Amino acid sequence: MMAWTRDQMAARAAKELEDGFYVNLGIGIPTLVANHVPESITVTLQSENGMLGIGPFPYAGEEDADLINAGKQTISELPQSAYFDSAQSFAMIRGGHIDLTVLGAMEVSQKGDIANWMIPGKMIKGMGGAMDLVAGVRKVIVVMEHLSKAGDPKFVPECTLPLTGRNVVNMIITDMAVFERSDRASLFRLTELAPGITAEDIANATTAAYLQ
Amino acid sequence: MIGAGTSAQRIYPDAINALADLLRDGMTICVGGFGLCGIPERLIDAVVGSGVKNLTVVSNNAGIDNEGLGKLLRTRQIAKIISSYVGENKEFERQYLAGEVEVEFCPQGTLAERMRAGGAGIPGFYTRTGVGTQVAEGKETKFFDGEEYLLEHGICADVALVKAWRSDETGNLMFRKTARNFNVPAATCGKVCVVEVEELVPTGSLDPDCIHLPGVYVQRVLVGAPYDKKIEFRTVRPRETA
């Protein structure tokens, strides 16, 4: 059985980018989306700690402790970069001014709920900006493995973990398939299969209801 | 003379003196910074040294082990922390699991807006963030145009601790790159705002059009330099060979 690699999943998410988009990328696979922005378009990456126009990692010796992304990694600035405070940063997120966000998830439900911030008794790091992003950004794409490390489906009828947002996800990209929905009242539709994956494989690896 | 307060009223020789008559047990302190970027480290050290305890701390993060607010956790001076993200801190995790410190998780944007609102005289506001999640438990909700929103409360702190790049003698502040982050909303929500800066410059040498936070919000200023700023994750790219 073949499946998409992490980099191929990121490349698939990058196909959703449009010229002029303002985009916030989460930590992990979503960060890789930045490597797949087509040459023909310009997108501006937002970092919720207070920057628009994230540049590449700095050259060794040019790191600046005052210039980091939301993952606390050193980055660089671009000619079009702008800095602002955290209240302003989330005003643009909450106010619907950011076009697209790509996030990881532990579970997504068939109704578009997402859980990605807490495992009771185990992981207590906090939600950071994820709840604000899913509530405010116009299009929410989840990129995740189709199955958990334990082999359980992650696209499920109801999330079992504490939610990050209710009915907020527009698109799911896994290592096996792509699911999309046209509006937040509809079920997701299976729209693409990774090479070597059949619709039956998806049915066997998914407990959520979805359209074929 | 008509104008802002004179330097004598605002400028302090160091963090210990700037906080001396402000700190007491059980108070609420709002602290700027994101991760270790733009944290008021001299002021945090002075709070550690003062020994005040039972503090409620409002800050986006809780520092890391033995850096930033991690120092105040290590000395057990914090009773409650209101934060959005406390990862990368083992001592915090230990105290939390042992029930030694109380935590209120607040979404990052909601936390920033709660500070901004508190400083702007707005006691509460409605937001979509957190609707249908644990964050909504026990909170009033209201529908606007068919969509559900949560009522969140503004935060007013007894003291705000802030790090800025430059200040003039009247407390007009400039920040540097992403070190601005929570420092601006935090500064506005404190009854008293104490700011440590890298550089104190003569009044008149900052362009009035380029002030990030006007001195009306700033009661006390001290120079904390020299700084040895910490980087949590050093990421670099190779130089292209010519």
Side-chain angles (χ1 to χ4, degrees):
Chain A
M1 191 164 88
M2 297 256 295
W4 283 315
T5 63
R6 288 162 54 91
D7 218 42
Q8 287 169 322
M9 291 159 70
R12 178 60 192 84
K15 285 188 184 173
E16 300 303 310
L17 301 171
E18 294 177 27
D19 193 36
F21 263 20
Y22 290 91
V23 178
N24 184 296
L25 300 176
I27 293 163
I29 300 175
T31 305
L32 302 175
V33 173
N35 301 334
H36 298 279
V37 180
E39 286 288 330
S40 56
I41 66 170
T42 301
V43 300
T44 303
L45 299 179
Q46 199 250 18
S47 194
E48 63 265 28
N49 55 318
M51 183 186 198
L52 276 167
I54 304 176
F57 292 148
Y59 293 121
E62 293 180 6
E63 312 93 291
D64 186 334
D66 289 338
L67 182 45
I68 62 168
N69 63 19
K72 288 128 188 166
Q73 298 171 312
T74 46
I75 52 171
S76 64
E77 64 187 20
L78 300 171
Q80 70 270 32
S81 296
Y83 300 111
F84 35 84
D85 68 65
S86 298
Q88 174 76 273
S89 179
F90 283 93
M92 68 183 73
I93 289 169
R94 200 188 301 106
H97 305 279
I98 303 297
D99 298 291
L100 179 75
T101 186
V102 186
L103 298 167
M106 297 189 278
E107 288 177 330
V108 176
S109 83
Q110 64 191 33
K111 292 176 293 187
D113 301 343
I114 174 173
N116 73 353
W117 76 280
M118 184 191 197
I119 304 171
K122 272 191 184 168
M123 191 186 93
I124 50 150
K125 290 171 185 288
M127 71 288 280
M131 285 192 181
D132 308 277
L133 285 162
V134 299
V137 174
R138 295 201 292 117
K139 182 170 182 175
V140 176
I141 299 178
V142 167
V143 177
M144 65 179 187
E145 306 292 332
H146 204 92
L147 298 171
S148 71
K149 287 202 175 72
D152 297 319
K154 294 172 72 173
F155 184 28
V156 293
E158 288 277 353
C159 293
T160 59
L161 296 167
L163 293 187
T164 307
R166 188 179 69 193
N167 191 13
V168 294
V169 177
N170 300 99
M171 183 175 188
I172 307 165
I173 299 169
T174 77
D175 51 334
M176 295 173 73
V178 177
F179 299 88
E180 294 174 75
R181 60 176 182 167
S182 49
D183 61 75
R184 289 183 179 176
S186 306
L187 283 175
F188 287 88
R189 182 178 294 278
L190 174 62
T191 55
E192 288 169 50
L193 293 166
I197 303 291
T198 66
E200 195 182 355
D201 294 332
I202 300 301
N204 290 336
T206 309
T207 52
Y210 57 90
L211 305 171
Q212 294 279 353
Chain B
M1 166 180 151
I2 295 172
T6 61
S7 60
Q9 294 169 303
R10 275 196 179 82
I11 311 304
Y12 286 71
D14 56 39
I16 292 169
N17 279 286
L19 291 178
D21 58 336
L22 293 178
L23 299 178
R24 55 181 166 73
D25 291 350
M27 74 191 312
T28 297
I29 301 181
C30 189
V31 184
F34 181 96
L36 298 181
C37 181
I39 55 169
E41 44 188 305
R42 302 283 174 267
L43 289 162
I44 291 170
D45 284 344
V47 175
V48 171
S50 77
V52 285
K53 50 189 189 298
N54 227 4
L55 299 172
T56 294
V57 172
V58 187
S59 172
N60 186 54
N61 308 95
I64 62 174
D65 289 306
N66 231 13
E67 292 291 348
L69 292 173
K71 294 178 183 175
L72 266 182
L73 280 163
R74 185 162 289 255
T75 52
R76 314 274 183 100
Q77 286 167 272
I78 301 178
K80 179 179 178 181
I81 185 153
I82 303 175
S83 287
S84 85
Y85 189 83
V86 296
E88 282 92 55
N89 191 325
K90 288 195 177 57
E91 172 62 14
F92 170 83
E93 199 163 315
R94 191 200 65 69
Q95 288 186 26
Y96 176 72
L97 292 172
E100 292 168 15
V101 63
E102 185 189 342
V103 180
E104 178 184 331
F105 280 117
C106 179
Q108 193 172 138
T110 297
L111 185 62
E113 189 63 13
R114 287 178 68 190
M115 294 178 191
R116 197 198 70 81
I122 296 172
F125 59 92
Y126 286 95
T127 176
R128 273 199 308 276
T129 302
V131 168
T133 75
Q134 281 185 6
V135 165
E137 284 170 16
K139 287 177 187 160
E140 192 182 307
T141 64
K142 187 168 176 161
F143 283 83
F144 294 86
D145 293 330
E147 183 128 25
E148 190 176 7
Y149 291 77
L150 281 188
L151 177 65
E152 293 281 2
H153 289 249
I155 291 172
C156 293
D158 296 305
V159 175
L161 306 183
V162 163
K163 161 77 190 300
W165 178 36
R166 284 180 172 156
S167 174
D168 70 12
E169 295 153 311
T170 71
N172 289 322
L173 302 183
M174 288 184 72
F175 299 86
R176 192 170 170 276
K177 303 184 187 284
T178 57
R180 194 181 320 181
N181 58 56
F182 273 83
N183 281 301
V184 168
T188 64
C189 82
K191 286 183 196 131
V192 181
C193 172
V194 186
V195 182
E196 62 177 84
V197 297
E198 293 176 40
E199 198 181 349
L200 181 67
V201 299
T203 300
S205 59
L206 298 179
D207 181 347
D209 257 340
C210 296
I211 302 298
H212 297 140
L213 187 75
V216 67
Y217 294 105
V218 175
Q219 281 71 45
R220 301 183 180 193
V221 175
L222 63 118
V223 178
Y227 284 95
D228 175 25
K229 298 174 192 172
K230 304 289 190 301
I231 291 174
E232 275 184 72
F233 301 106
R234 189 177 298 273
T235 44
V236 297
R237 67 185 145 138
R239 263 175 213 283
E240 293 91 357
T241 45

